Amino acid sequence: YSTGYFLLPPDYTAGNKKYPVLYLLHGWGEDETGWYTQGHVDRIMDNLIAAGKAKPMIVVMDNLNAAKPGESAAIFAARGLVPPPSDTPPAARGGVGAPGAPGRGAPPAGPPAGRGGGMGSLARPTFTEMMFTDLIPTIEQDYRVLPGPQNRAMAGLSMGGAQTFTTALQNLDKFAYLGGFSGSCGGRGDFDPKTSCSGAFADPAAFNKKVKVLFLGIGSAEGQGTHQFSDALAKAGVPNVYFESPGTAH
């Protein structure tokens, strides 16, 4: 699997205890270092565990930029990870020197992910495949991990949130805890529990039996799309945790 960062709980080396796992995904223009260098996930987790507000867990932060040979490399070129075609205009190449986005490429045109649109097309089927055939088996082989979906969570920021919903909602037997931070599968105002999000919420009772926590987070400056999505889910019989960060954007 691609290079990743792994955060082990403070007492991991003290014994033979097994732990649940959170697979935490970065956003557009970032890589597996994002949650560690920008999000300070190590400090946050240590403080939460010390305060008794979180269970000790393993956090896996892999590189979401997954593609098979022959698949489009546009997503990588936009991040400055591979050279763009020589005939690509500089302004369209992304990466270092892209207007308004030094050091990273900007996401393609479309509604912001936090409002429910735009980012869904960035979810990578190859990453889902890699996750189940390589990443999860490797983590559960090499680390002391509690087995089963009840001990497995997936969450992500922006594009990582879109990937989380794309991967997990089609594999509800694999994860019991899901989270999207400014990224999900809904929020455009046209949510239909029977058809939206690949029909994952068509049977609320079945969904609720498998998923213990569904978290939706957003910045207040991103609009009301995610709040409306949360309300629509609740109305359809799908409990969820909604958090809005005051005065913040994407």
Side-chain angles (χ1 to χ4, degrees):
Y1 56 92
S2 55
T3 303
Y5 272 41
F6 307 93
L7 179 63
L8 301 177
D11 60 350
Y12 185 85
T13 59
N16 296 315
K17 182 180 177 181
K18 294 184 177 181
Y19 300 87
V21 182
L22 165 61
Y23 293 89
L24 186 60
L25 302 181
H26 60 81
W28 174 273
E30 301 171 349
D31 59 21
E32 69 276 12
T33 67
W35 276 104
Y36 182 81
T37 58
Q38 296 169 236
H40 304 294
V41 66
D42 53 333
R43 301 178 190 177
I44 293 171
M45 287 303 304
D46 283 351
N47 288 335
L48 289 175
I49 291 172
K53 296 181 179 180
K55 292 182 178 181
M57 68 184 74
I58 297 172
V59 182
V60 178
M61 295 159 279
D62 203 2
N63 193 318
L64 182 52
N65 305 304
K68 294 178 180 178
E71 290 183 340
S72 173
I75 193 170
F76 304 98
R79 290 166 171 73
L81 300 177
V82 296
S86 59
D87 58 349
T88 302
R93 294 181 184 181
V96 177
R104 72 173 70 178
R115 300 180 186 176
M119 286 293 180
S121 62
L122 299 182
R124 310 297 289 176
T126 296
F127 184 87
T128 298
E129 179 183 345
M130 180 279 297
M131 193 170 189
F132 293 131
T133 61
D134 198 351
L135 179 59
I136 291 177
T138 300
I139 294 299
E140 297 188 353
Q141 173 182 301
D142 293 350
Y143 295 86
R144 298 197 307 275
V145 173
L146 289 168
Q150 69 274 18
N151 295 301
R152 197 179 295 135
M154 188 174 182
L157 165 67
S158 188
M159 183 181 72
Q163 182 71 52
T164 293
F165 279 73
T166 296
T167 297
L169 293 184
Q170 297 177 16
N171 296 276
L172 290 175
D173 59 329
K174 301 294 194 301
F175 303 94
Y177 302 87
L178 306 178
F181 317 121
S182 295
S184 67
C185 64
R188 291 180 294 272
D190 57 353
F191 176 74
D192 181 345
K194 298 296 183 182
T195 59
S196 297
C197 304
S198 301
F201 304 108
D203 186 342
F207 180 89
N208 296 336
K209 187 176 181 179
K210 294 179 179 179
V211 177
K212 306 305 179 185
V213 175
L214 174 62
F215 178 90
L216 299 170
I218 198 74
S220 63
E222 296 189 71
Q224 292 299 305
T226 298
H227 197 176
Q228 294 168 357
F229 179 44
S230 172
D231 289 345
L233 285 173
K235 185 177 180 180
V238 180
N240 61 90
V241 178
Y242 174 78
F243 175 77
E244 185 173 299
S245 177
T248 60
H250 195 68

